[in-house]
Amino acid sequence: MLRWILGGREAQGSAEKSSVLCIGEEQPKNWFTELQVLKGHFDIVRFLVQIDDFRCASAGDDGLVLVWNVETGERLQELRGHSQQITAITTFTCNNGLTSHTSLITASSDRSLSLWDPDTGNRVQTISDLQSSVKCLLVLERLCVWVSGGEELCVWNKDFQLQCHRQNHSDTGITALIELPKNCIAAAMDKEIVIYRLTYCTDSSLSVAEIRCLSDHQDRIRALINVNDGLFASGSHAGELILWDAIDWNILAYEHILWEESQACTQAEIRLAAPKPSEMSIQHLTTNGRHILAAVGSGLYVYSILTKTVVAYRKVAHDSNVLHTMLLSDSELMSCSEDGSVRMWEIQDLPLPAEPASPGLFGMWTFGRSNKQTGPASKKVMDVPNIRTLELTGDLIGHSGAVQMFVSFRENGLVTCSTDHLLILWKNGERQSHLRSLALFQKLEENGGL
Amino acid sequence: MIGSPDVVAFTKEDEYGQTPPDPWALPDEFSIPLHPLADSNPWAKTSYAKFTKDFILISEFSEQVGPQPLLTIPDDPKVCGTFDLNYFSLRIMSVDYQASFVGHPPGSGYPRLSFVEDSRVVLGDSKEGAFAYVHHLTLYDLEARGFVRPFCMAYVSADERKIMLQFQELSLRFSQASESLKAGNRRAFAKELQRKLRDLEYTHSVLQREEGLQREAGPQCMYSAHAVEKANELANVEKSIYEHRDLLRQISSYHRRPRRDPHVVSCQKCINECLSECEQLLDKYAKLAKPFSYTAKGDTGQKGRADGDGGEKEGDEEDDEGVKRRSSYTPQLIKGKSAKCFDKRLKTLQELCDVTFYEATVELLKKTERSFRGDLCYLYTRRLDRALRRKLKITNFLFEEDLGDDEDEDEGGTLRPFCAVNHAVDNCTLLKPLPIVLGPEPPELDALEPPGPLDSASGTSHTQGSELGLVESHLESSPSDQTLETQESSEETKGSFSSDKSEMGLAERQQNLESRKSEAPDPDSDLTPDPDHNPDLERESSSEEMETTAGDDEGDDTPVSLLEVASELEASREDECEGLTDAPCDIEPELLVPLDTACCMAQEGFLYEASAPEAVQPCQALVVNEEPHALIPLQDDYTVGSPAAGLELPVGHLGDAVSRTSAEDGSDCTMSASTGSDLGYGGVVTLRQRKKAGQGALRFVRQYPFAMQALWCLLSGRTLVVLGADEGRVRRLVAALALFVPAPGKCGDRVQAWLSCPFTLTDLQRWKLIGLQRVASPVGSSMLYSLSRYSRYISILDADQKTLRCPPYRGQLLANIADHRTSIRRGSTYFLHLQSTLCQLAAEAFLFTFTHHLHLPVSSTEGPEVVQGRRLCFLQEQLGLGEEDSQILLYLSQLITQQYLQPATGSSAAAATCFSFNYTTSVLYKI
């Protein structure tokens, strides 16, 4: 229970360079004022996928896939079938003319793949006894096929028939897959990105061929994402962020995130722990087409694609590794971490430089009398001219274990999943109360009065 | 000799011709009488009574010594003091309105058991200062005159108003007791009959043998005096066998007889048992009692007799042996003449009723006595409280203790029958009371549509009865015959009465009848289009009833028209009943008045008539509910609206008492359970516990200056953790503070009295008040971790260091209940004070929740901000609440909303409840 408590004087936000890391209990911008704990899993919940506007599916190490109604918190379906932990899950939308139906494809360590109908809870298709377990899944809706990656790359059609497959020689296997233009897919394998191309042969059978191997990363590739039609990005364990051209696979930008650099010019800083290699590992990448948000160790890093520069960053955004991030808008972002919290950030313009804050900090072991709490101050970044700051606007505390992932349903709320076997549905209390009032008066009308 | 006792009217001032009621006035049942005791000193009334407190008296009208007291409850001589029980018994037994006519109805060969409904009378003895609710009942005794023994149970009190106002409940309770006694009595009576029949048959066989011997002796003996005497004797015995067999049949048909008493509910299982028992007996004696076919074996004997052989002797002997072998009872020879009634010892009440039933009844009466202890004001307030609370369905889950399941049942219109042998409750719960409509029919109803819904039931029982060959059709005789017979029977009746009591009763009845006829012509009869269906038919039907047993020969000429009308009536009546039973609360007292007419008739007849003719008596059902004293002129004192309150929940009061006692009984075990186990609920469940907790709460408020903040946390839905090392202290604090937890749940499941492990978010969602153990171990540090981690959701009251960490509260709302300089000294006073404040809060929350425009836009042009502004305005200006006080109301409103919506979302029980919070800073309060 380590808390840094600012004593003496009120923190004048405008005058402070050091932003508040521990926001404390007063969070006016945090509108998640209601929560629902969703129980059902027996082990770590690792994956969440959104099925439609009000449903999401969660999957975890217990091999269970649960379908939830986000509006009510009801558990709609329980998809049982996998005997071991789920390693990948994705939605698969079939568009046949007018109607589209969303199914779920799951991969498990028991070396099986299954197709589920989330409406009925039926296991529609299943393939077992694969040579190896699948680590990632990619649906190519345009081609109506989907690709599974592991030690081998397999291409399946929507009826779960193997179209073609390709053994690869890497030990680690494929860890990430993205779709590229011209029927290409990029697969991350250890330090390399391999580009495959899918081609239809004359007898309308599919074949897959390796066309390029990009080996510019110095370390393992941890994240691989599509940015827009012409760009994709990859991040490595060593903190390298590379922006690639999606068509001719050239490097467009290279950014090596090294916290030590900036630390050199900071002052009056309290370091919580010695830097570890994982501190600069890029755990997760996310983008909205204009910015790339990288989770680097326990910090966050916002990179603008237009200017190809760092827009804002915070080295210590969480107490522990950041596991998942999301850009809500150009200025708002959200991150979750192993420390069990979800934090909401806002990219704010840096106020005019002023005199550095007097560090009147002292620690206290009691939880009482904590009006304002400030965490360890982060650095001033004077070397980057037009940099902005990441301001913490709120945090969600509820899980007692690492928050693995979250899915936002916009105004309907936010679902988080965690190693403590729980899902938490965070909602806007005011909106919910309004909805309940509506329901109340509707029921009142139905009943014809009290 | 015995002066007419001052029978007191139980009625209400009739409201004919009164102005329509003020729509804004409080309902009668909720208004406190303005000057309840304006007339005199409240203790003046009881001052001259010779007993100290209310008691129950059971008396008998013995045919040997006249009225005599049997026992009092409580059975303590101090209770009655110098009060003359003998004299009072005399008085209460002299107002028996039961029609206890017995004897041989004309044209019938057999004596009849009179199936008499209980009668209820309130009477007073102003000289003695005693008033009593008197419940007359009749038990059967084979040795008694007319086979009946009149008894009465009386609730004696010095307070007349108490009896008047509690009449309904008293009537209900005593009906239960009476039913229990009668059930036991029927059993005992059937057993006695069985014994008697066996004796008779033995005697019969012996006589037959003797006759046979005589016949063998030769024709010269055939006409000797001795032989004639023997033959007469034999004939007498045979007649006696027929009679007793008929009695047995009658007693076994008891349950098929429709009851008109709305308070009569008996345990279905008991009834079934008794019925099967009786039927068994009947089967047995139907065979035996044919005088010439003694048993199945007796057939051989009969054959032998027909052949003129002497073989029947052996056969009879065999039979006798068979009888002996069948049971340990040895048949005795019955003398031709029974002993004079003054020689024999009459059976005691215990003997008359089965011992189990007797004891159960006494228990029940004891319970009744207990539940009526106390001042009328107390009883009345308690009832008001309950009636009110039962109406507050939407908000009473917030702060009121649970009313219990019995109430729910009663609300459903179910009477729980009292069962002496404690048959499982489940068989009773399904039992509906006989759908007798307590309320009057709506004024626009045609008189042809009588409310008595007995038809279907009686119809079925009827068919059963005729299948069994026990009951003949009730519609067999033509109307003209009926009139004639009625006259005959009433003459007969008069003649057969011998005791003063009966004569007086009859005289009074007739008087009543006359007065009724002179003063108020029955409006219903005027409206009746069919001349056959005038109220007199009631009497006719009753006489017709008496006819049925003898009237085998006239079975088939049922008038078709009558049947048709009856079926029509049945149909229409059913509809009507539905409407009436649907709204039992709408009973208006005004219509209780025209009961008088039928009253007399109900008493006039033999109360055995079942079906169709009764249907034309629209007010019949009311009649049985209201006893004859309704005829007596009204008294102003009793029109304060309380009788209406009593009527409104006709079945609820019983439940009240039951649940009250059960709650009291159960409270101790609840306590022990909660203290016994760590995971037991720490919630306060019963009223007694809550009052006890009131003391703790008062202490808390006086002791801690930040009590207000703590209470605010609880009331605004922020979980309060009471942290402490000493379990007892933490538990006490939790028990005291649990009073303030809104919607604590049925067993206080939102409260955790003692927790010794770190809690999680799920616990916070479930519990609103947690007692947490402070430990100095690794467990303790992880607990501290969870405390600090979830600190935004909780407030922490440190019982050891006397600190409170919670958001600051600056409101004024709670200053009233959390004033540490309060002058309230007693816990129960504080509890009441608290209750009133919480009640007001709940009312405000209710208003807030269900005011449409505070939550939804009035017009489509309004944005959410307008609604928001209106809500704020309502909270701040109209209710005068600050920001923090508003949070209390918002939380209560949220609870009400959730509770209201809950049944709709009941299908998705899996969905977890929501847990809302807000982000505010906390401050640390110190003592």
PDB file of all heavy atoms in Angstrom, chain A residues 25 32-33 35-36 39 395 397-399 443 450, chain B residues 394 762 789-790 792-793 805 900 912 915 917 919:
ATOM      1  N   GLU A  25      -9.187   9.831  -5.525  1.00  0.00           N
ATOM      2  CA  GLU A  25     -10.583   9.389  -5.524  1.00  0.00           C
ATOM      3  C   GLU A  25     -11.513  10.331  -6.249  1.00  0.00           C
ATOM      4  O   GLU A  25     -12.641   9.976  -6.537  1.00  0.00           O
ATOM      5  CB  GLU A  25     -11.039   9.202  -4.072  1.00  0.00           C
ATOM      6  CG  GLU A  25     -10.397   7.978  -3.470  1.00  0.00           C
ATOM      7  CD  GLU A  25     -10.563   7.901  -1.979  1.00  0.00           C
ATOM      8  OE1 GLU A  25     -10.769   8.955  -1.359  1.00  0.00           O
ATOM      9  OE2 GLU A  25     -10.481   6.795  -1.446  1.00  0.00           O
ATOM     10  N   PHE A  32     -17.572   6.101 -15.424  1.00  0.00           N
ATOM     11  CA  PHE A  32     -17.918   4.714 -15.099  1.00  0.00           C
ATOM     12  C   PHE A  32     -18.270   4.632 -13.612  1.00  0.00           C
ATOM     13  O   PHE A  32     -17.426   4.387 -12.771  1.00  0.00           O
ATOM     14  CB  PHE A  32     -16.751   3.777 -15.408  1.00  0.00           C
ATOM     15  CG  PHE A  32     -16.464   3.657 -16.870  1.00  0.00           C
ATOM     16  CD1 PHE A  32     -15.349   4.251 -17.426  1.00  0.00           C
ATOM     17  CD2 PHE A  32     -17.317   2.947 -17.692  1.00  0.00           C
ATOM     18  CE1 PHE A  32     -15.085   4.132 -18.768  1.00  0.00           C
ATOM     19  CE2 PHE A  32     -17.053   2.818 -19.049  1.00  0.00           C
ATOM     20  CZ  PHE A  32     -15.934   3.420 -19.587  1.00  0.00           C
ATOM     21  N   THR A  33     -19.510   4.878 -13.304  1.00  0.00           N
ATOM     22  CA  THR A  33     -19.880   4.924 -11.889  1.00  0.00           C
ATOM     23  C   THR A  33     -20.770   3.756 -11.490  1.00  0.00           C
ATOM     24  O   THR A  33     -21.461   3.809 -10.485  1.00  0.00           O
ATOM     25  CB  THR A  33     -20.609   6.237 -11.572  1.00  0.00           C
ATOM     26  OG1 THR A  33     -21.691   6.369 -12.483  1.00  0.00           O
ATOM     27  CG2 THR A  33     -19.700   7.411 -11.692  1.00  0.00           C
ATOM     28  N   LEU A  35     -20.845  -0.700 -11.702  1.00  0.00           N
ATOM     29  CA  LEU A  35     -20.180  -1.890 -12.229  1.00  0.00           C
ATOM     30  C   LEU A  35     -21.006  -3.117 -11.916  1.00  0.00           C
ATOM     31  O   LEU A  35     -21.842  -3.143 -11.010  1.00  0.00           O
ATOM     32  CB  LEU A  35     -18.765  -2.026 -11.671  1.00  0.00           C
ATOM     33  CG  LEU A  35     -18.533  -2.221 -10.177  1.00  0.00           C
ATOM     34  CD1 LEU A  35     -18.686  -3.665  -9.770  1.00  0.00           C
ATOM     35  CD2 LEU A  35     -17.137  -1.755  -9.833  1.00  0.00           C
ATOM     36  N   GLN A  36     -20.735  -4.107 -12.723  1.00  0.00           N
ATOM     37  CA  GLN A  36     -21.376  -5.396 -12.529  1.00  0.00           C
ATOM     38  C   GLN A  36     -20.274  -6.430 -12.639  1.00  0.00           C
ATOM     39  O   GLN A  36     -19.499  -6.403 -13.590  1.00  0.00           O
ATOM     40  CB  GLN A  36     -22.410  -5.624 -13.631  1.00  0.00           C
ATOM     41  CG  GLN A  36     -23.820  -5.696 -13.151  1.00  0.00           C
ATOM     42  CD  GLN A  36     -24.778  -5.824 -14.303  1.00  0.00           C
ATOM     43  OE1 GLN A  36     -24.685  -5.082 -15.277  1.00  0.00           O
ATOM     44  NE2 GLN A  36     -25.678  -6.760 -14.218  1.00  0.00           N
ATOM     45  N   LYS A  39     -19.501 -13.331 -13.265  1.00  0.00           N
ATOM     46  CA  LYS A  39     -18.774 -14.536 -12.877  1.00  0.00           C
ATOM     47  C   LYS A  39     -19.126 -15.671 -13.811  1.00  0.00           C
ATOM     48  O   LYS A  39     -20.228 -15.725 -14.334  1.00  0.00           O
ATOM     49  CB  LYS A  39     -19.156 -14.930 -11.457  1.00  0.00           C
ATOM     50  CG  LYS A  39     -18.646 -14.000 -10.402  1.00  0.00           C
ATOM     51  CD  LYS A  39     -18.903 -14.636  -9.045  1.00  0.00           C
ATOM     52  CE  LYS A  39     -19.086 -13.563  -7.999  1.00  0.00           C
ATOM     53  NZ  LYS A  39     -19.622 -14.117  -6.772  1.00  0.00           N
ATOM     54  N   ASP A 395      -9.315   6.153 -13.353  1.00  0.00           N
ATOM     55  CA  ASP A 395      -8.886   4.758 -13.356  1.00  0.00           C
ATOM     56  C   ASP A 395     -10.011   3.894 -12.812  1.00  0.00           C
ATOM     57  O   ASP A 395     -10.877   4.357 -12.067  1.00  0.00           O
ATOM     58  CB  ASP A 395      -7.592   4.559 -12.564  1.00  0.00           C
ATOM     59  CG  ASP A 395      -7.731   4.937 -11.110  1.00  0.00           C
ATOM     60  OD1 ASP A 395      -8.749   5.555 -10.748  1.00  0.00           O
ATOM     61  OD2 ASP A 395      -6.822   4.617 -10.338  1.00  0.00           O
ATOM     62  N   ILE A 397     -10.698   0.599 -10.749  1.00  0.00           N
ATOM     63  CA  ILE A 397     -10.105  -0.416  -9.881  1.00  0.00           C
ATOM     64  C   ILE A 397     -11.192  -1.390  -9.478  1.00  0.00           C
ATOM     65  O   ILE A 397     -12.255  -0.991  -9.012  1.00  0.00           O
ATOM     66  CB  ILE A 397      -9.468   0.238  -8.638  1.00  0.00           C
ATOM     67  CG1 ILE A 397      -8.299   1.078  -9.080  1.00  0.00           C
ATOM     68  CG2 ILE A 397      -9.030  -0.817  -7.642  1.00  0.00           C
ATOM     69  CD1 ILE A 397      -7.611   1.806  -7.980  1.00  0.00           C
ATOM     70  N   GLY A 398     -10.914  -2.623  -9.672  1.00  0.00           N
ATOM     71  CA  GLY A 398     -11.915  -3.615  -9.319  1.00  0.00           C
ATOM     72  C   GLY A 398     -11.314  -5.000  -9.352  1.00  0.00           C
ATOM     73  O   GLY A 398     -11.530  -5.790  -8.449  1.00  0.00           O
ATOM     74  N   HIS A 399     -10.530  -5.250 -10.367  1.00  0.00           N
ATOM     75  CA  HIS A 399      -9.952  -6.584 -10.475  1.00  0.00           C
ATOM     76  C   HIS A 399      -8.849  -6.754  -9.441  1.00  0.00           C
ATOM     77  O   HIS A 399      -8.143  -5.816  -9.099  1.00  0.00           O
ATOM     78  CB  HIS A 399      -9.366  -6.775 -11.873  1.00  0.00           C
ATOM     79  CG  HIS A 399     -10.418  -6.987 -12.912  1.00  0.00           C
ATOM     80  ND1 HIS A 399     -11.214  -8.082 -12.928  1.00  0.00           N
ATOM     81  CD2 HIS A 399     -10.794  -6.211 -13.967  1.00  0.00           C
ATOM     82  CE1 HIS A 399     -12.042  -8.005 -13.969  1.00  0.00           C
ATOM     83  NE2 HIS A 399     -11.827  -6.872 -14.596  1.00  0.00           N
ATOM     84  N   LYS A 443     -43.043  -0.049 -17.224  1.00  0.00           N
ATOM     85  CA  LYS A 443     -43.721  -1.119 -16.496  1.00  0.00           C
ATOM     86  C   LYS A 443     -44.950  -0.569 -15.774  1.00  0.00           C
ATOM     87  O   LYS A 443     -45.987  -1.227 -15.679  1.00  0.00           O
ATOM     88  CB  LYS A 443     -42.761  -1.739 -15.489  1.00  0.00           C
ATOM     89  CG  LYS A 443     -43.339  -2.979 -14.861  1.00  0.00           C
ATOM     90  CD  LYS A 443     -42.391  -3.623 -13.894  1.00  0.00           C
ATOM     91  CE  LYS A 443     -43.099  -4.745 -13.180  1.00  0.00           C
ATOM     92  NZ  LYS A 443     -42.341  -5.258 -12.051  1.00  0.00           N
ATOM     93  N   LEU A 450     -49.682   1.710 -10.031  1.00  0.00           N
ATOM     94  CA  LEU A 450     -49.047   0.900  -9.005  1.00  0.00           C
ATOM     95  C   LEU A 450     -50.011  -0.191  -8.645  1.00  0.00           C
ATOM     96  O   LEU A 450     -49.857  -1.063  -7.991  1.00  0.00           O
ATOM     97  CB  LEU A 450     -48.708   1.759  -7.799  1.00  0.00           C
ATOM     98  CG  LEU A 450     -47.621   2.786  -8.058  1.00  0.00           C
ATOM     99  CD1 LEU A 450     -47.552   3.768  -6.910  1.00  0.00           C
ATOM    100  CD2 LEU A 450     -46.285   2.093  -8.173  1.00  0.00           C
TER     101      LEU A 450
ATOM    102  N   ILE B 394     -44.336  -1.240  -2.197  1.00  0.00           N
ATOM    103  CA  ILE B 394     -43.198  -0.842  -3.026  1.00  0.00           C
ATOM    104  C   ILE B 394     -42.022  -0.404  -2.191  1.00  0.00           C
ATOM    105  O   ILE B 394     -40.880  -0.639  -2.546  1.00  0.00           O
ATOM    106  CB  ILE B 394     -43.661   0.255  -3.990  1.00  0.00           C
ATOM    107  CG1 ILE B 394     -44.666  -0.384  -4.936  1.00  0.00           C
ATOM    108  CG2 ILE B 394     -42.505   0.868  -4.748  1.00  0.00           C
ATOM    109  CD1 ILE B 394     -45.096   0.435  -6.062  1.00  0.00           C
ATOM    110  N   THR B 762     -16.597  -8.571  -5.240  1.00  0.00           N
ATOM    111  CA  THR B 762     -17.898  -9.252  -5.202  1.00  0.00           C
ATOM    112  C   THR B 762     -18.553  -9.085  -3.839  1.00  0.00           C
ATOM    113  O   THR B 762     -19.764  -8.921  -3.745  1.00  0.00           O
ATOM    114  CB  THR B 762     -17.692 -10.748  -5.477  1.00  0.00           C
ATOM    115  OG1 THR B 762     -16.582 -10.902  -6.336  1.00  0.00           O
ATOM    116  CG2 THR B 762     -18.907 -11.337  -6.099  1.00  0.00           C
ATOM    117  N   ARG B 789      -7.081  -0.778  -1.531  1.00  0.00           N
ATOM    118  CA  ARG B 789      -7.346  -0.907  -2.959  1.00  0.00           C
ATOM    119  C   ARG B 789      -8.778  -0.480  -3.284  1.00  0.00           C
ATOM    120  O   ARG B 789      -9.011   0.221  -4.255  1.00  0.00           O
ATOM    121  CB  ARG B 789      -7.109  -2.348  -3.377  1.00  0.00           C
ATOM    122  CG  ARG B 789      -7.342  -2.551  -4.846  1.00  0.00           C
ATOM    123  CD  ARG B 789      -6.885  -3.917  -5.286  1.00  0.00           C
ATOM    124  NE  ARG B 789      -7.085  -4.050  -6.722  1.00  0.00           N
ATOM    125  CZ  ARG B 789      -6.269  -3.558  -7.627  1.00  0.00           C
ATOM    126  NH1 ARG B 789      -5.186  -2.898  -7.244  1.00  0.00           N
ATOM    127  NH2 ARG B 789      -6.512  -3.704  -8.913  1.00  0.00           N
ATOM    128  N   TYR B 790      -9.676  -0.927  -2.455  1.00  0.00           N
ATOM    129  CA  TYR B 790     -11.079  -0.603  -2.730  1.00  0.00           C
ATOM    130  C   TYR B 790     -11.552   0.603  -1.932  1.00  0.00           C
ATOM    131  O   TYR B 790     -12.736   0.780  -1.720  1.00  0.00           O
ATOM    132  CB  TYR B 790     -11.960  -1.810  -2.417  1.00  0.00           C
ATOM    133  CG  TYR B 790     -11.629  -3.006  -3.277  1.00  0.00           C
ATOM    134  CD1 TYR B 790     -11.203  -4.196  -2.719  1.00  0.00           C
ATOM    135  CD2 TYR B 790     -11.734  -2.923  -4.657  1.00  0.00           C
ATOM    136  CE1 TYR B 790     -10.877  -5.281  -3.510  1.00  0.00           C
ATOM    137  CE2 TYR B 790     -11.407  -4.000  -5.464  1.00  0.00           C
ATOM    138  CZ  TYR B 790     -10.983  -5.173  -4.884  1.00  0.00           C
ATOM    139  OH  TYR B 790     -10.661  -6.234  -5.674  1.00  0.00           O
ATOM    140  N   ARG B 792     -11.984   3.487  -2.530  1.00  0.00           N
ATOM    141  CA  ARG B 792     -12.912   4.426  -3.160  1.00  0.00           C
ATOM    142  C   ARG B 792     -14.359   3.956  -3.054  1.00  0.00           C
ATOM    143  O   ARG B 792     -15.269   4.736  -3.266  1.00  0.00           O
ATOM    144  CB  ARG B 792     -12.547   4.620  -4.615  1.00  0.00           C
ATOM    145  CG  ARG B 792     -12.734   3.369  -5.440  1.00  0.00           C
ATOM    146  CD  ARG B 792     -12.498   3.655  -6.897  1.00  0.00           C
ATOM    147  NE  ARG B 792     -11.163   4.199  -7.114  1.00  0.00           N
ATOM    148  CZ  ARG B 792     -10.655   4.396  -8.310  1.00  0.00           C
ATOM    149  NH1 ARG B 792     -11.367   4.110  -9.366  1.00  0.00           N
ATOM    150  NH2 ARG B 792      -9.449   4.879  -8.467  1.00  0.00           N
ATOM    151  N   TYR B 793     -14.523   2.676  -2.795  1.00  0.00           N
ATOM    152  CA  TYR B 793     -15.888   2.165  -2.724  1.00  0.00           C
ATOM    153  C   TYR B 793     -16.416   2.070  -1.302  1.00  0.00           C
ATOM    154  O   TYR B 793     -17.576   1.780  -1.107  1.00  0.00           O
ATOM    155  CB  TYR B 793     -15.971   0.775  -3.356  1.00  0.00           C
ATOM    156  CG  TYR B 793     -15.457   0.706  -4.763  1.00  0.00           C
ATOM    157  CD1 TYR B 793     -14.464  -0.191  -5.111  1.00  0.00           C
ATOM    158  CD2 TYR B 793     -15.959   1.554  -5.737  1.00  0.00           C
ATOM    159  CE1 TYR B 793     -13.984  -0.259  -6.405  1.00  0.00           C
ATOM    160  CE2 TYR B 793     -15.468   1.498  -7.033  1.00  0.00           C
ATOM    161  CZ  TYR B 793     -14.482   0.597  -7.359  1.00  0.00           C
ATOM    162  OH  TYR B 793     -14.010   0.550  -8.641  1.00  0.00           O
ATOM    163  N   ARG B 805     -13.256   6.963   8.087  1.00  0.00           N
ATOM    164  CA  ARG B 805     -12.754   7.528   6.851  1.00  0.00           C
ATOM    165  C   ARG B 805     -13.865   7.409   5.816  1.00  0.00           C
ATOM    166  O   ARG B 805     -14.288   6.311   5.473  1.00  0.00           O
ATOM    167  CB  ARG B 805     -11.536   6.751   6.386  1.00  0.00           C
ATOM    168  CG  ARG B 805     -10.888   7.326   5.160  1.00  0.00           C
ATOM    169  CD  ARG B 805      -9.827   6.382   4.640  1.00  0.00           C
ATOM    170  NE  ARG B 805      -9.339   6.847   3.363  1.00  0.00           N
ATOM    171  CZ  ARG B 805      -9.966   6.601   2.219  1.00  0.00           C
ATOM    172  NH1 ARG B 805     -11.076   5.905   2.220  1.00  0.00           N
ATOM    173  NH2 ARG B 805      -9.469   7.052   1.082  1.00  0.00           N
ATOM    174  N   TYR B 900     -38.712  -2.671  -8.007  1.00  0.00           N
ATOM    175  CA  TYR B 900     -39.931  -2.654  -8.805  1.00  0.00           C
ATOM    176  C   TYR B 900     -39.745  -3.406 -10.112  1.00  0.00           C
ATOM    177  O   TYR B 900     -40.644  -4.074 -10.590  1.00  0.00           O
ATOM    178  CB  TYR B 900     -40.339  -1.202  -9.080  1.00  0.00           C
ATOM    179  CG  TYR B 900     -41.677  -1.065  -9.745  1.00  0.00           C
ATOM    180  CD1 TYR B 900     -42.843  -1.276  -9.028  1.00  0.00           C
ATOM    181  CD2 TYR B 900     -41.774  -0.727 -11.086  1.00  0.00           C
ATOM    182  CE1 TYR B 900     -44.069  -1.160  -9.626  1.00  0.00           C
ATOM    183  CE2 TYR B 900     -43.003  -0.607 -11.692  1.00  0.00           C
ATOM    184  CZ  TYR B 900     -44.150  -0.820 -10.958  1.00  0.00           C
ATOM    185  OH  TYR B 900     -45.370  -0.710 -11.556  1.00  0.00           O
ATOM    186  N   ALA B 912     -25.987 -10.311 -12.514  1.00  0.00           N
ATOM    187  CA  ALA B 912     -25.583  -9.815 -11.206  1.00  0.00           C
ATOM    188  C   ALA B 912     -26.204  -8.452 -10.964  1.00  0.00           C
ATOM    189  O   ALA B 912     -26.583  -7.752 -11.903  1.00  0.00           O
ATOM    190  CB  ALA B 912     -24.071  -9.721 -11.149  1.00  0.00           C
ATOM    191  N   PHE B 915     -23.710  -2.302  -8.964  1.00  0.00           N
ATOM    192  CA  PHE B 915     -23.069  -1.704  -7.803  1.00  0.00           C
ATOM    193  C   PHE B 915     -22.637  -0.330  -8.257  1.00  0.00           C
ATOM    194  O   PHE B 915     -21.789  -0.199  -9.130  1.00  0.00           O
ATOM    195  CB  PHE B 915     -21.879  -2.590  -7.412  1.00  0.00           C
ATOM    196  CG  PHE B 915     -20.986  -1.988  -6.382  1.00  0.00           C
ATOM    197  CD1 PHE B 915     -21.473  -1.621  -5.143  1.00  0.00           C
ATOM    198  CD2 PHE B 915     -19.639  -1.799  -6.652  1.00  0.00           C
ATOM    199  CE1 PHE B 915     -20.628  -1.078  -4.196  1.00  0.00           C
ATOM    200  CE2 PHE B 915     -18.801  -1.264  -5.696  1.00  0.00           C
ATOM    201  CZ  PHE B 915     -19.290  -0.904  -4.474  1.00  0.00           C
ATOM    202  N   PHE B 917     -21.386   3.684  -7.556  1.00  0.00           N
ATOM    203  CA  PHE B 917     -20.485   4.385  -6.644  1.00  0.00           C
ATOM    204  C   PHE B 917     -20.209   5.728  -7.286  1.00  0.00           C
ATOM    205  O   PHE B 917     -20.672   6.003  -8.393  1.00  0.00           O
ATOM    206  CB  PHE B 917     -19.199   3.592  -6.474  1.00  0.00           C
ATOM    207  CG  PHE B 917     -18.616   3.090  -7.746  1.00  0.00           C
ATOM    208  CD1 PHE B 917     -17.721   3.861  -8.457  1.00  0.00           C
ATOM    209  CD2 PHE B 917     -18.991   1.858  -8.258  1.00  0.00           C
ATOM    210  CE1 PHE B 917     -17.203   3.407  -9.661  1.00  0.00           C
ATOM    211  CE2 PHE B 917     -18.482   1.402  -9.465  1.00  0.00           C
ATOM    212  CZ  PHE B 917     -17.577   2.182 -10.159  1.00  0.00           C
ATOM    213  N   TYR B 919     -17.001   8.916  -7.530  1.00  0.00           N
ATOM    214  CA  TYR B 919     -15.604   9.209  -7.244  1.00  0.00           C
ATOM    215  C   TYR B 919     -15.527  10.483  -6.420  1.00  0.00           C
ATOM    216  O   TYR B 919     -15.659  11.587  -6.940  1.00  0.00           O
ATOM    217  CB  TYR B 919     -14.830   9.361  -8.542  1.00  0.00           C
ATOM    218  CG  TYR B 919     -14.879   8.127  -9.400  1.00  0.00           C
ATOM    219  CD1 TYR B 919     -15.747   8.027 -10.474  1.00  0.00           C
ATOM    220  CD2 TYR B 919     -14.035   7.053  -9.130  1.00  0.00           C
ATOM    221  CE1 TYR B 919     -15.778   6.889 -11.260  1.00  0.00           C
ATOM    222  CE2 TYR B 919     -14.063   5.915  -9.917  1.00  0.00           C
ATOM    223  CZ  TYR B 919     -14.946   5.834 -10.974  1.00  0.00           C
ATOM    224  OH  TYR B 919     -14.974   4.712 -11.742  1.00  0.00           O
TER     225      TYR B 919
END
